[in-house]
């Protein structure tokens, strides 16, 4: 890695992002990336410039720094099962080909997740960075942004010069993270810094309160300490990663990444990483979200409202944002039976019912088997209901909330249905609840609801929680399991908390939420 002496550094940029649930029966194909984000070449600049995303931040920074930016590929798919090897190869090939075509590249800036899992390849991000190094050597500066839920592997640290992660959950600082990575690259190219990475972990696959930073949380306090270390000067950047415990990779779990300036600072930077990781490890069982049973959630729905806005029931264990199938039906059954006025259930992943409703047309009454079709063992099977079709949509909208602002999105062909006092949204795309735009495509004003039962874990909170009268996180038996000891791990290091009693003699089952 050497300083760039050209007036306009040539910088390749690419995005390859997926959070993969290792134990899901689904597979993430190239078509799944196509439904969310799959762009090539100049199209990336056209579509992503001005958006509050990592790519938006990188593009803006490149303009300011005078880089010759070479956009290659930008691919992202919603959290689901492992990525197929065919999809991984199809997405990495353009980047490796671009490297060969642009042998005078000075830097590569990647937008990764850090918790991708490919069939037969548990650490694809480490593999990609290794292959980049094989082709480009060490003269090229290699940087990557990471999700706060990255499982940071030794290979990622070894083959990247710069890694920097989001600092918020919900992830509303993606743009800033792209800018931050770019600034570090620019300083490196100018010879101002010599970045070196240090990482610390502990024998735990869970912790850091899943990285939640809404309000005064253990994670916000840890982030504040990280910023203090950065202010001391020898730490260039400090990333706190909560990890993704549904990723069955050896290094899965929380980690602390410290980026230092030069080899002389290695020991001090590693000491900082260890100090913060020790702190996080000491409160690994603390959490700010506590799951309620469906019965308890219904009782809260029936209590007098103390403020305006809907009561949000977040079907946590079925949240697609954590790898849930998005079609569990236990909560739907309970709400249909309760028949409380102003109730909306959705988004439910059910392309079959959506197609049938669209074919029947607005105003028609139709008998449907709703949701529960991916795997009835997790959250319940299909619910037979006679419903009236209130509205249909192609599901397309542009994100306007704080999460990925300005990017196009779609819930797919979808329908708004009525069953008694309960309205239901069935959608053809398996997506997490994010913002009000997902409901507006079907004419639903979220603020006017009494109860909103959605499939969500974190990101909906940025846009939907402020207009609600409260959020109740519900345990519905989905695949985003809360007792990790029920999952068939094969690759994680052992012993590790909370899977192994021998790690902690006083171990108690942990309800992760």
């Amino acid at each position: 890695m050497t300083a760039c002496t050209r007036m306009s550094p040539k910088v390749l940029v690419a995005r390859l992002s997926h959070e993969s649930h290792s134990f899901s029966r689904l597979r993430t194909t190239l078509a799944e990336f196509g439904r969310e984000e799959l762009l090539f070449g100049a199209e990336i600049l056209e579509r992503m410039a001005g958006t509050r995303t990592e790519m938006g931040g990188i593009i803006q920074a490149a303009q300011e720094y005078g880089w010759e930016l070479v956009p290659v590929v930008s691919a992202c798919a919603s959290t689901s099962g492992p990525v197929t090897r065919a999809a991984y190869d199809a997405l990495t090939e353009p980047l490796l080909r671009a490297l060969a075509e642009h042998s005078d590249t000075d830097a590569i800036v990647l937008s990764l997740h850090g918790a991708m899992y490919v069939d037969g390849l548990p650490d694809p991000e480490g593999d990609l960075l290794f292959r980049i190094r094989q082709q480009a050597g060490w003269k090229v500066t290699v940087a990557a942004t990471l999700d706060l839920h990255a499982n940071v592997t030794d290979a990622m640290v070894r083959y990247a010069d710069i890694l920097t992660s989001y600092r918020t959950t919900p992830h509303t600082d993606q743009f800033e993270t792209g800018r931050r990575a770019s600034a570090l690259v620019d300083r490196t190219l100018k010879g101002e810094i010599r970045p070196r990475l240090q990482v610390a972990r502990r024998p735990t696959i869970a912790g850091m309160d899943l990285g939640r930073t809404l309000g005064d949380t253990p994670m916000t306090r840890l982030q504040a300490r990280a910023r203090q270390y950065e202010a001391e000067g020898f730490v260039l950047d400090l990333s706190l990663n909560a990890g993704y415990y549904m990723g069955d990779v050896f290094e899965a779990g929380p980690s602390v990444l410290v980026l230092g300036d030069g080899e002389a600072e290695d020991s001090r930077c590693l000491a900082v990483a260890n100090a913060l990781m020790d702190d996080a490890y000491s409160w690994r069982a603390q959490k700010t979200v506590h799951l309620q049973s469906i019965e308890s959630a219904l009782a809260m729905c029936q209590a007098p409202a103390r403020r305006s806005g809907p009561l949000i029931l977040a079907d946590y264990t079925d949240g697609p944002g954590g790898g849930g199938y998005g079609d569990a039906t236990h909560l739907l059954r309970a709400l249909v039976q309760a028949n409380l006025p102003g109730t909306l259930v959705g988004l439910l992943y059910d392309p079959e019912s959506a197609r049938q409703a669209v074919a029947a047309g607005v105003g028609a009454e139709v008998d449907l088997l709703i949701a529960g079709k991916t795997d009835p063992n997790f959250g319940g099977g299909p619910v037979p209901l006679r419903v009236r079709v209130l509205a249909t949509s192609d599901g397309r909208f542009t994100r306007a909330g704080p999460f990925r602002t300005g990017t196009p999105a779609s819930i797919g062909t979808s329908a708004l249905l009525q069953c008694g006092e309960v309205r239901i949204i069935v959608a053809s795309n398996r997506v997490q609840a994010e913002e009000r735009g997902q409901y507006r495509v079907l004419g639903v004003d979220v603020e006017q609801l009494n109860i909103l039962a959605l499939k969500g874990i974190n990101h909906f909170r940025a846009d939907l929680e402020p207009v609600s009268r409260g959020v109740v996180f519900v345990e519905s038996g989905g695949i985003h399991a809360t007792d990790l000891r029920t999952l068939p791990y094969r690759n994680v290091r052992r012993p590790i908390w909370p899977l192994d009693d021998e790690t902690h003699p006083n171990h108690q089952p942990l309800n992760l939420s």
Side-chain angles (χ1 to χ4, degrees), residues 37-340:
E37 179 185 315
L38 185 56
L39 308 171
F40 295 94
E43 187 181 17
I44 298 170
L45 304 181
E46 296 167 5
R47 295 275 294 274
M48 303 306 290
T51 63
R52 285 196 52 78
T53 62
E54 302 99 297
M55 294 298 280
I58 295 165
I59 292 168
Q60 186 183 94
Q63 293 171 342
E64 295 178 8
Y65 297 140
W67 293 349
E68 179 188 346
L69 198 63
V70 180
V72 181
V73 58
S74 185
C76 177
S78 298
T79 301
S80 187
V83 175
T84 66
R85 185 59 190 253
Y88 175 72
D89 290 342
L91 295 172
T92 54
E93 188 277 335
L95 177 58
L96 297 173
R97 174 162 38 88
L99 270 175
E101 294 171 352
H102 297 272
S103 58
D104 56 345
T105 295
D106 296 297
I108 302 163
V109 185
L110 303 171
S111 170
L112 304 177
H113 185 287
M116 181 184 287
Y117 189 104
V118 171
D119 284 329
L121 189 64
D123 180 19
E125 284 103 341
D127 172 76
L128 175 60
L129 290 167
F130 168 69
R131 291 163 72 185
I132 287 171
R133 282 294 183 210
Q134 276 189 315
Q135 187 160 321
W138 292 91
K139 63 181 176 60
V140 174
T141 299
V142 178
T145 64
L146 299 176
D147 190 287
L148 186 146
H149 298 104
N151 289 325
V152 178
T153 67
D154 289 343
M156 292 162 63
V157 172
R158 183 178 304 119
Y159 297 116
D161 296 303
I162 296 164
L163 296 171
T164 185
S165 306
Y166 308 155
R167 296 174 178 179
T168 63
T169 300
H171 304 324
T172 56
D173 66 328
Q174 295 173 332
F175 175 85
E176 288 78 8
T177 303
R179 290 289 315 242
R180 189 167 61 249
S182 300
L184 290 165
V185 168
D186 196 63
R187 293 182 66 191
T188 303
L189 293 177
K190 291 174 178 174
E192 296 174 2
I193 58 173
R194 294 167 298 156
R196 290 175 61 86
L197 285 162
Q198 306 295 328
V199 64
R201 306 182 195 89
R202 294 297 176 266
T204 177
I205 199 173
M208 289 191 185
D209 188 33
L210 278 185
R212 298 183 182 99
T213 56
L214 285 179
D216 182 17
T217 69
M219 190 63 166
T220 58
R221 294 191 287 274
L222 197 65
Q223 290 281 11
R225 284 188 59 196
R227 305 290 81 77
Q228 290 173 355
Y229 278 119
E230 288 174 343
E232 293 181 16
F234 68 95
V235 171
L236 298 173
D237 189 78
L238 204 158
S239 296
L240 307 171
N241 302 288
Y244 178 59
Y245 47 69
M246 299 301 176
D248 187 13
V249 61
F250 185 80
E251 297 99 329
S255 65
V256 176
L257 270 174
V258 178
L259 187 70
D261 185 7
E263 187 175 355
E265 299 295 353
D266 283 357
S267 59
R268 277 212 293 176
C269 288
L270 183 58
V272 168
N274 280 318
L276 289 175
M277 195 63 237
D278 281 340
D279 186 352
Y281 188 62
S282 70
W283 49 267
R284 61 194 171 278
Q286 290 185 31
K287 54 187 184 293
T288 56
V289 164
H290 302 272
L291 301 193
Q292 302 292 326
S293 67
I294 291 175
E295 293 75 16
S296 296
L298 285 178
M300 296 178 192
C301 291
Q302 293 164 340
R306 296 184 178 180
R307 51 177 291 191
S308 61
L311 180 65
I312 295 176
L313 306 185
D315 200 348
Y316 186 94
T317 59
D318 192 42
Y325 294 141
D327 70 345
T329 55
H330 287 331
L331 184 57
L332 169 66
R333 288 178 187 272
L335 288 168
V336 167
Q337 184 174 358
N339 202 33
L340 299 174

Side-chain angles (χ1 to χ4, degrees), residues 26 32 35 318 320 324-329 346-355 370-374 411 425-431 455:
L26 304 174
E32 296 302 315
R35 290 188 182 94
D318 192 42
Y325 294 141
D327 70 345
T329 55
L347 312 170
L348 287 171
Y349 174 69
D350 188 350
E352 179 182 38
S353 291
R355 287 194 300 269
I370 295 181
K373 295 162 186 168
T374 306
I411 65 173
I425 292 178
V426 288
S428 297
N429 289 349
R430 192 190 316 270
V431 294
K455 305 289 186 178

